[in-house]
Amino acid sequence: MNAKLLLAAMAAMVCAVQGWSAPAAAGDLSGGPMLDELKHGGYVIYLRHDRTDLSRSDTDPINLRDCTTQRPLSNAGRAHAKKIGEVLRTMGIRIGAVYASPVCRATETAELVFPGVELTMPHAMIYTLALPKEELAAAAAELRKMLATPPAGGANTVLVGHTTNLQEAAGVWPKKEGGALIFRPDGHGAFTLAGAVDPDDFERSAE
Amino acid sequence: MSLKLTTLRGRLIGSSALAIVVLLVVCFQFLRAFAHQEAVIVRIKEQQITRLEKVGRLMLQLSNNQSQLAALLSDAVEGKVDEAAVFIRGRSAIDAVRSVVSEFNALRPWFDEDAEALSVYGAAERELAAYRGAIFSVVDLCTVDVHLAPVEMLKASGSYVHIVDYMSNVVNLTNSRVAADLDRMQTETKRANAYLLASGAAALLVLVAGSGLFYRDMRRAEVARDLGKAKIDHLAHHDALTGLPNRALFALELDRALARAARGELVALLYLDLDHFKRINDTFGHSVGDELLRQAANRLRGCVRETDIVARLGGDEFAILQTALSRPSDAATLAGRIVENLKSPFVLHDTPAVIGASIGIAIAPDDAKEREELVRNADLALYAAKESGRRTYHFYREELDVRMKMRHQIEADLRIAITDGQFELHFQPIVDLQTDEVKCCEALLRWNHPKRGIVSPADFIPIAEECGLIVALGEWVLREACAAASAWPEKIAVAVNLSPAQVKADALPALVTSALAAAGLAPSRLELEITESVLMQNTFDTLETLHRLRDLGVRISMDDFGTGYSSLSYLRSFPFDKIKIDKSFIDHISEKEDCVTIVQAVTTMAQRLSMTTVAEGVETADQRRKLAELGCTDMQGYLISRPRPAADILRQLRDASAPAESAAA
């Protein structure tokens, strides 16, 4: 609830500054109903990369070119990511553009969920803990813009990323690896949090 | 002498002052170098302190960072804060580490020159990178799985311990290095001070020695100056070329001699000119001329007694003062000896040359008692000696005075004659030998003197040349002749004689241009006649002037060819339009074969050189026929016409051309 209030306040602030219209009231769906709702399209799905091998760490500064210097997906994470893809496809949820963080664990997640899809990897989606603090404001603004952009033609947009980015852009913390937060752009430059899908919800839907 | 001593003292004081100044400068440099060394030492110390402070501050920051992060970690492990809060605190810890890293990297240049410190610093740098990574992982793990974070925290702490260890090592190393540097500098300072002192002492020594040398040189300079003064004295009273007394010294000697003459002693003043000296000078050059003067001076010295004085007054003028004569004829004996002596040939730079001398003699107190009068009389006598054919001597006589007075009278009369209109131009036609047509008329000057009647140009032209009136007279002739010719038929030119003095003047081309313009006469109708004597001036300027005249379109004739030296080289030096063969050849052309040969040679040569030839003074039909045979082109003389006044000649020319003109019409 806190997060919702925060988001509303923030959206109002953005509107005040940029002259956007006020967002429509947000729904608060989760799990299966949320996935069902996605069939209608028009949502932006922020998927946190799947489970990772915690025995390994990123270097600081991060080396985007060498996945072996990063904290990678665990095998469980990889399996779960594939499962997410199966669920989305079986349910007939239409997916439009897919954006992913250039950090390997996010890119790999996106590729496992959507095999063969063409990925866009914006700089703003890099794990912000690895970005210098001067770039944080610009990254947050860009991510907000992505969240507020309605997907084209009844599909849903997917963003595969990290915790801190969303915390800085929208004030919400995606709790679990392999879980998703669903946003609804209002078409006037603002967005609302529509609901959440836990990693387990995907498992359940797959069964 | 007192002046010299004062100067000397002044110079010594000056050099002492200089020594003091140099010493002051040395002291100043010493102090400055010392202060500089001190400043450098202070700077090095301050620099090291700055470094130590900086390293200490960085280490302190790392320590704070660690405890900050440890607190965050314990809060996270105990679940007191959620991921978002961990993230915000973790973020600031990471930013703190990053700023420490960039400040730490900036330290590297400090150790660039100290390999050992640099390698330890490098190890610390690597350890700091590990620390940075560990801190990042701690924060990262706190947001993913907080239980794994303490392991990373341990790594960070390990790195921190190493970093501190390494940096303390670096500090020790640089400290000892700085200490060594300071030690070395102090040694260098001591050595530099020693050098400075030594150089100061050396400067002082050099100054002392230098002053001594300076004093010695000054003495030498003074001696040289005294010698120079004597030499200058000699130069002031002697001729540099011959070593004979000059005009100034001679005047003094003459005054002394005249003082003795006043007491009854006979004194002779001999004025001497070398004959044709100018010709030698012009022909063979000044160095040969100078050699001639030296040799002539030596011969003169050999001719006189010890008590007589030979002086060179300038140019080729010499004077001899013969003292204590028994009778005036003693002077004649000496003069005869000198004339004979100078007659024998000279050898000038391997060139044999025969000259001679003319001498004028005046005796004091018989001829004059005052110096100026005696000199004037000797000069008149010299003039007379030259008149009577050179290579001889002549005593002053009173008639000389009379002649001189007459010259002065003519000169005075000449001055008013121009303004009074006593001059008149007559013209003598020059005709073509084949066609009898008048081609040109020569302008001839006549002076109708109110008392003397007609004065011959031979009498007044030399005087006019001597006193410079020739320039004004020449200008008058030129303007008159042009004005007269402008009234003549167009094909007839006018010939005007130029004197050497006129050709020398730079203004001649401008004068000719102006005279032609004033008369409205075409330049092609003016002929300027010059004699060899003009070319004997033989300077570059003369030829330049002649060429400039030719460039105006005026023609130039060689007058009186065959008299003088008639050197063919004169014909080569300037391309004359016309040669006028002297009357002396024409006079005998009917009977003397050598004249025929010469005229033949001249006309043939003139044809080859595209020059016309004019025979001067033709008086008989026989001469005319002969000249036509020899190929002479033009002629002039009583046979055709004597010189006639301008009005007559104008009438004559008009009458001659009238039938032709009417026929043409």
Side-chain angles (χ1 to χ4, degrees):
Chain A
M1 305 314 113
N2 252 350
K4 209 176 96 181
L5 275 175
L6 193 72
L7 187 69
M10 200 204 65
M13 190 181 73
V14 168
C15 292
V17 172
Q18 309 209 354
W20 293 338
S21 57
D28 195 9
L29 300 171
S30 65
M34 184 69 246
L35 284 171
D36 287 338
E37 179 58 27
L38 287 178
K39 290 177 194 165
H40 298 113
Y43 291 94
V44 176
I45 303 164
Y46 190 93
L47 178 65
R48 185 181 172 195
H49 60 77
D50 224 306
R51 269 163 280 176
T52 48
D53 176 1
L54 295 178
S55 69
R56 289 160 70 184
S57 309
D58 292 346
T59 54
D60 185 31
I62 195 162
N63 183 349
L64 293 177
R65 289 208 186 86
D66 186 357
C67 295
T68 65
T69 64
Q70 302 176 7
R71 171 157 57 89
L73 288 183
S74 63
N75 287 335
R78 291 192 181 96
H80 185 260
K82 283 179 193 158
K83 198 153 285 165
I84 295 173
E86 282 162 27
V87 169
L88 293 178
R89 279 188 293 277
T90 352
M91 290 185 73
I93 295 170
R94 284 195 291 152
I95 301 299
V98 179
Y99 298 89
S101 156
V103 177
C104 296
R105 53 183 175 274
T107 317
E108 195 181 357
T109 302
E111 282 165 350
L112 289 168
V113 176
F114 308 107
V117 84
E118 196 174 323
L119 285 180
T120 309
M121 291 184 277
H123 183 75
M125 289 187 70
I126 296 172
Y127 191 21
T128 54
L129 203 59
L131 285 181
K133 62 181 169 191
E134 302 79 43
E135 292 180 18
L136 296 183
E142 198 182 331
L143 185 55
R144 266 200 298 280
K145 202 173 162 194
M146 292 166 76
L147 292 170
T149 307
N156 301 288
T157 303
V158 178
L159 312 177
V160 184
H162 309 274
T163 50
T164 58
N165 300 54
L166 199 60
Q167 170 71 34
E168 273 158 350
V172 275
W173 186 274
K175 287 272 185 189
K176 290 173 181 161
E177 293 176 326
L181 289 174
I182 316 297
F183 295 88
R184 186 172 185 87
D186 68 355
H188 300 286
F191 56 86
T192 48
L193 179 63
V197 180
D198 270 3
D200 297 346
D201 294 336
F202 287 112
E203 306 261 358
R204 268 193 295 278
S205 300
E207 280 154 16
Chain B
M1 197 58 201
S2 67
L3 177 74
K4 280 180 202 163
L5 279 177
T6 318
T7 323
L8 194 63
R9 203 169 297 130
R11 284 174 189 173
L12 280 176
I13 289 168
S15 59
S16 314
L18 190 63
I20 288 165
V21 167
V22 169
L23 273 180
L24 283 176
V25 168
V26 168
C27 287
F28 175 72
Q29 290 292 348
F30 177 87
L31 289 174
R32 210 179 62 161
F34 186 73
H36 176 70
Q37 285 283 359
E38 284 295 297
V40 168
I41 288 167
V42 166
R43 206 174 60 229
I44 287 175
K45 282 178 180 167
E46 278 175 356
Q47 206 173 35
Q48 180 64 4
I49 288 166
T50 311
R51 287 176 189 184
L52 297 184
E53 277 178 356
K54 181 87 185 173
V55 170
R57 206 160 47 237
L58 284 180
M59 293 305 107
L60 189 63
Q61 277 174 26
L62 276 186
S63 161
N64 286 342
N65 181 256
Q66 226 192 158
S67 40
Q68 189 187 344
L69 210 63
L72 170 63
L73 185 58
S74 90
D75 284 355
V77 170
E78 286 168 27
K80 284 185 188 165
V81 286
D82 66 355
E83 294 94 333
V86 168
F87 162 67
I88 290 166
R89 281 163 66 183
R91 168 94 229 170
S92 83
I94 286 173
D95 287 342
V97 176
R98 286 176 183 168
S99 103
V100 168
V101 167
S102 79
E103 281 186 59
F104 190 87
N105 289 344
L107 302 186
R108 173 176 279 276
W110 289 359
F111 312 109
D112 269 351
E113 284 171 20
D114 188 341
E116 200 180 354
L118 187 63
S119 81
V120 182
Y121 166 83
E125 202 175 29
R126 282 190 295 280
E127 205 56 53
L128 184 59
Y131 177 85
R132 175 184 175 171
I135 293 294
F136 184 87
S137 295
V138 170
V139 177
D140 186 31
L141 284 174
C142 280
T143 65
V144 183
D145 186 347
V146 77
H147 302 293
L148 294 170
V151 180
E152 291 299 321
M153 191 64 220
L154 273 177
K155 283 188 199 165
S157 301
S159 292
Y160 170 75
V161 171
H162 280 125
I163 293 165
V164 171
D165 198 25
Y166 286 138
M167 286 319 284
S168 110
N169 242 332
V170 167
V171 163
N172 287 338
L173 281 170
T174 53
N175 269 344
S176 58
R177 177 166 171 119
V178 165
D181 278 356
L182 291 180
D183 266 5
R184 204 184 57 237
M185 282 191 60
Q186 263 150 8
T187 317
E188 276 171 11
T189 306
K190 276 179 199 155
R191 199 179 302 155
N193 290 347
Y195 283 145
L196 219 53
L197 277 175
S199 66
L204 195 61
L205 266 174
V206 165
L207 270 165
V208 169
S211 303
L213 289 174
F214 178 65
Y215 173 76
R216 194 196 64 188
D217 287 351
M218 214 169 58
R219 277 304 305 156
R220 286 183 183 171
E222 274 168 1
V223 170
R225 190 188 61 200
D226 292 348
L227 286 175
K229 224 166 133 187
K231 183 144 193 198
I232 286 167
D233 226 35
H234 184 269
L235 282 176
H237 289 107
H238 290 79
D239 170 41
L241 183 66
T242 59
L244 293 177
N246 63 8
R247 189 184 284 275
L249 181 55
F250 188 73
L252 292 173
E253 295 290 346
L254 190 53
D255 282 344
R256 263 181 234 160
L258 285 176
R260 294 198 297 275
R263 296 192 293 270
E265 184 187 320
L266 269 186
V267 173
L269 173 62
L270 286 74
Y271 256 37
L272 181 147
D273 255 12
L274 298 180
D275 298 332
H276 307 305
F277 169 73
K278 192 170 157 32
R279 202 180 76 214
I280 298 279
N281 224 14
D282 289 345
T283 314
F284 301 110
H286 288 290
S287 72
V288 171
D290 288 352
E291 179 62 21
L292 172 60
L293 290 171
R294 270 192 292 269
Q295 292 189 17
N298 285 338
R299 291 196 191 179
L300 288 175
R301 276 195 197 100
C303 289
V304 300
R305 295 171 302 168
E306 277 292 307
T307 48
D308 299 338
I309 288 164
V310 180
R312 179 168 172 233
L313 304 182
D316 61 333
E317 286 176 52
F318 294 86
I320 296 125
L321 185 61
Q322 192 183 13
T323 52
L325 280 72
S326 321
R327 58 193 82 82
S329 63
D330 288 354
T333 314
L334 174 60
R337 191 158 66 232
I338 290 173
V339 168
E340 277 309 308
N341 199 323
L342 292 182
K343 263 185 197 169
S344 54
F346 288 83
V347 178
L348 309 168
H349 300 326
D350 301 333
T351 310
V354 179
I355 58 153
S358 306
I359 299 176
I361 307 168
I363 307 286
D366 298 0
D367 296 334
K369 292 183 178 64
E370 299 302 318
R371 168 152 64 94
E372 279 177 25
E373 203 187 349
L374 188 68
V375 165
R376 196 183 66 95
N377 290 347
D379 205 24
L380 279 176
L382 173 60
Y383 194 83
K386 283 186 185 171
E387 293 262 283
S388 57
R390 302 178 186 263
R391 289 192 178 194
T392 182
Y393 61 89
H394 205 292
F395 274 92
Y396 167 76
R397 288 197 307 269
E398 276 186 24
E399 311 91 87
L400 294 178
D401 244 0
V402 175
R403 281 183 55 186
M404 187 48 64
K405 276 174 187 147
M406 187 177 148
R407 276 177 69 89
H408 285 311
Q409 189 58 52
I410 289 179
E411 187 182 325
D413 289 351
L414 266 175
R415 286 180 196 280
I416 54 171
I418 297 177
T419 47
D420 260 17
Q422 293 170 15
F423 288 109
E424 190 188 352
L425 284 187
H426 282 204
F427 294 91
Q428 186 175 35
I430 299 172
V431 301
D432 190 312
L433 257 168
Q434 303 298 326
T435 64
D436 263 355
E437 273 177 30
V438 176
K439 290 166 83 178
C440 180
C441 294
E442 182 179 358
L444 297 160
L445 185 60
R446 284 170 64 99
W447 183 9
N448 301 315
H449 195 282
K451 287 178 198 153
R452 297 172 204 264
I454 304 285
V455 181
S456 160
D459 288 335
F460 70 84
I461 291 292
I463 297 173
E465 280 180 343
E466 263 174 43
C467 66
L469 277 172
I470 192 69
V471 176
L473 193 53
E475 179 175 351
W476 181 86
V477 171
L478 189 64
R479 288 185 184 281
E480 278 297 303
C482 288
S486 67
W488 302 343
E490 277 202 5
K491 58 184 178 178
I492 298 171
V494 64
V496 177
N497 291 284
L498 291 183
S499 91
Q502 274 178 291
V503 182
K504 261 186 216 166
D506 277 349
L508 184 59
L511 170 63
V512 170
T513 309
S514 150
L516 287 169
L521 193 69
S524 60
R525 290 181 62 196
L526 178 63
E527 286 180 16
L528 298 174
E529 298 189 356
I530 61 165
T531 56
E532 278 173 334
S533 55
V534 170
L535 288 173
M536 277 170 66
Q537 298 173 137
N538 200 21
T539 58
F540 179 75
D541 289 346
T542 304
L543 287 176
E544 168 95 9
T545 305
L546 289 179
H547 279 289
R548 279 170 63 197
L549 289 170
R550 263 279 280 274
D551 291 345
L552 294 175
V554 169
R555 277 179 290 171
I556 314 283
S557 318
M558 164 70 89
D559 202 7
D560 298 339
F561 190 76
T563 60
Y565 302 101
S566 300
S567 169
L568 290 180
S569 68
Y570 294 136
L571 290 175
R572 231 187 63 208
S573 63
F574 185 78
F576 288 94
D577 297 291
K578 187 184 268 188
I579 299 179
K580 299 186 77 176
I581 304 167
D582 193 67
K583 185 174 185 299
S584 55
F585 296 97
I586 312 302
D587 284 346
H588 306 290
I589 202 161
S590 302
E591 72 269 23
K592 285 192 179 167
E593 200 52 41
D594 56 346
C595 288
V596 173
T597 310
I598 287 169
V599 172
Q600 173 79 75
V602 173
T603 55
T604 308
M605 177 190 69
Q607 274 169 13
R608 292 275 166 81
L609 296 174
S610 308
M611 295 186 270
T612 52
T613 39
V614 182
E616 294 181 288
V618 180
E619 287 171 359
T620 67
D622 203 33
Q623 288 171 350
R624 178 197 172 133
R625 190 179 42 75
K626 192 76 185 167
L627 286 165
E629 267 174 38
L630 292 174
C632 192
T633 56
D634 301 338
M635 68 167 193
Q636 167 182 18
Y638 279 18
L639 181 64
I640 304 301
S641 168
R642 59 184 182 81
R644 291 170 187 280
D648 290 4
I649 209 84
L650 177 61
R651 202 176 313 117
Q652 185 186 329
L653 291 174
R654 279 194 174 153
D655 290 348
S657 67
E661 269 168 22
S662 59

